[in-house]
Amino acid sequence: MRSARQLICITATLSALSLGLAACGGDDKKSDSGSDEKSSSTGTKSEPQTWPLTGLQVDGGSAALDHPVLVLKMDNTEASSPQQGLSEADMVVEELVEGGITRLAAFFYSEIPGDVGPVRSVRASDIGIVTPVDGALVTSGGAGVTINRISEAGIKIFNEGSPGFYRESTRVAPYNLFTDMGKVAKAAEDGKDARPDDYLPWGSEKDLPQGKPAGTITADFGGSHSTNWTFQNGTYVNQNTFAADGDEFPADSVLVLRVEVGDAGYLDPAGNPVPETIFKGEGKAQLFHAGQVVEGTWSKKDLGSALELSTADGDLKIPAGRVWIELVPVDAKGGSVTFGK
């Protein structure tokens, strides 16, 4: 027989346990709700894991890496042929440089290739291209005035002399500078895993309004270069690429932005004025996807702001995938964009 005192203790203990469980149950419910709200505000659990430069789902692991977005400046003339490494870029931006030719800014983050190049110099235009994702520039160097402006913008530069850079003996200078991007990425590690902001407003095909048929594109930069595209087998194929066979950039979409072009304030070694793309403000936009074009406008409050896209009916979202961005001068500067069925 248990004593009365023992029965009292057991009863008290059971009562305390009952109250404790009830309290825990209440806390669990509150905690679940609170953690959901917290996750939503911080973007840790309630948001899907996607890559910032493509909008594609992360296949295991995390989109937060311990190196910044690496933006490599690549030559885009016949002398660069064959270009190496474009097939592994997340995104490419094509910009006007002196002499009416263009140069590429190839973005690497979700995949880091080995050898990439030819690596060429930076322009002031790159500030507006790189800063929205706090990217680091991989380059051969640049004019003193440009390097100063890029440094003042807080952009880190990796150039010849940094880990990974070398001269390819079978090519002639200045088209023989290459780099091992794996070594550059290692040198860029800061020990802090962080996911950059989305470069573009990502969505899906169902978000797109009805467009016009556009199986071919010609982006004319108003000088001696036009980039031609044809929609084939679900992607846009660059008809006059300098990439090595099998190493072409697989463009799911081509985004054309009409931009103002100013004067960078100095001449190149050949005496040509150096242009500067003004990648802020607003202008016309054309999104080419799945053989159609949707027309709208783009806006960017300042050089470091995210790109916003819209149509007359509202926001314009880009289907997740690999995007080639053409920064084509406005008509007053001689640029033009044409497309056909």
Side-chain angles (χ1 to χ4, degrees):
M1 297 274 306
R2 296 181 187 270
S3 68
R5 183 172 180 176
Q6 286 177 318
L7 290 172
I8 290 171
C9 287
I10 290 171
T11 302
T13 300
L14 289 173
S15 298
L17 284 172
S18 177
L19 289 171
L21 288 171
C24 288
D27 284 348
D28 281 347
K29 187 175 181 180
K30 184 177 181 181
S31 175
D32 287 344
S33 174
S35 75
D36 284 345
E37 291 176 4
K38 184 175 181 181
S39 295
S40 176
S41 64
T42 59
T44 54
K45 292 182 180 179
S46 62
E47 295 179 4
Q49 279 286 328
T50 58
W51 293 113
L53 302 178
T54 64
L56 295 171
Q57 294 285 326
V58 176
D59 186 13
S62 171
L65 304 179
D66 63 352
H67 64 74
V69 172
L70 300 174
V71 185
L72 181 137
K73 294 306 301 295
M74 184 180 290
D75 190 82
N76 195 42
T77 65
E78 189 173 358
S80 68
S81 182
Q83 296 164 330
Q84 198 168 330
L86 279 180
S87 64
E88 294 180 87
D90 287 326
M91 183 178 71
V92 175
V93 177
E94 184 172 10
E95 60 186 288
L96 180 69
V97 294
E98 59 278 7
I101 62 175
T102 63
R103 192 155 289 176
L104 307 181
F107 286 63
F108 296 94
Y109 189 69
S110 68
E111 295 183 52
I112 299 297
D115 298 332
V116 180
V119 185
R120 296 302 304 276
S121 56
V122 292
R123 297 293 182 272
S125 307
D126 296 320
I127 297 173
I129 293 172
V130 170
T131 49
V133 286
D134 294 324
L137 278 164
V138 183
T139 172
S140 63
V145 61
T146 300
I147 295 297
N148 288 340
R149 287 183 61 185
I150 288 173
S151 297
E152 289 171 0
I155 300 170
K156 192 167 186 177
I157 294 177
F158 294 90
N159 54 17
E160 191 168 12
S162 299
F165 283 79
Y166 65 95
R167 293 282 175 175
E168 172 56 63
S169 60
T170 62
R171 304 197 188 204
V172 298
Y175 310 101
N176 62 345
L177 183 63
F178 283 71
T179 190
D180 181 333
M181 288 296 286
K183 293 181 179 179
V184 177
K186 185 67 177 176
E189 289 179 358
D190 58 9
K192 300 177 181 178
D193 290 354
R195 182 192 184 280
D197 293 334
D198 286 339
Y199 197 92
L200 296 168
W202 300 113
S204 64
E205 287 191 0
K206 64 181 177 59
D207 297 319
L208 290 181
Q210 183 64 40
K212 302 175 184 177
T216 63
I217 314 164
T218 298
D220 189 338
F221 284 79
S224 57
H225 180 77
S226 296
T227 300
N228 304 313
W229 298 90
T230 300
F231 184 66
Q232 298 177 3
N233 301 319
T235 62
Y236 286 89
V237 178
N238 187 338
Q239 297 297 310
N240 52 340
T241 182
F242 299 110
D245 289 343
D247 202 9
E248 301 90 347
F249 180 79
D252 296 302
S253 301
V254 175
L255 176 63
V256 177
L257 307 177
R258 306 305 301 276
V259 294
E260 295 287 345
V261 177
D263 190 335
Y266 64 96
L267 304 178
D268 73 356
N272 297 306
V274 177
E276 179 180 348
T277 296
I278 312 301
F279 200 18
K280 65 178 181 179
E282 58 186 22
K284 294 181 179 179
Q286 294 169 299
L287 173 61
F288 295 86
H289 181 82
Q292 297 201 355
V293 58
V294 175
E295 301 189 275
T297 59
W298 68 270
S299 64
K300 209 165 172 286
K301 294 179 181 178
D302 53 49
L303 294 178
S305 296
L307 188 66
E308 297 181 8
L309 300 169
S310 62
T311 67
D313 297 323
D315 294 340
L316 174 60
K317 295 184 181 297
I318 297 180
R322 314 278 277 281
V323 181
W324 183 294
I325 301 176
E326 305 277 22
L327 298 182
V328 179
V330 294
D331 298 343
K333 299 295 183 179
S336 66
V337 180
T338 55
F339 60 90
K341 295 182 180 180

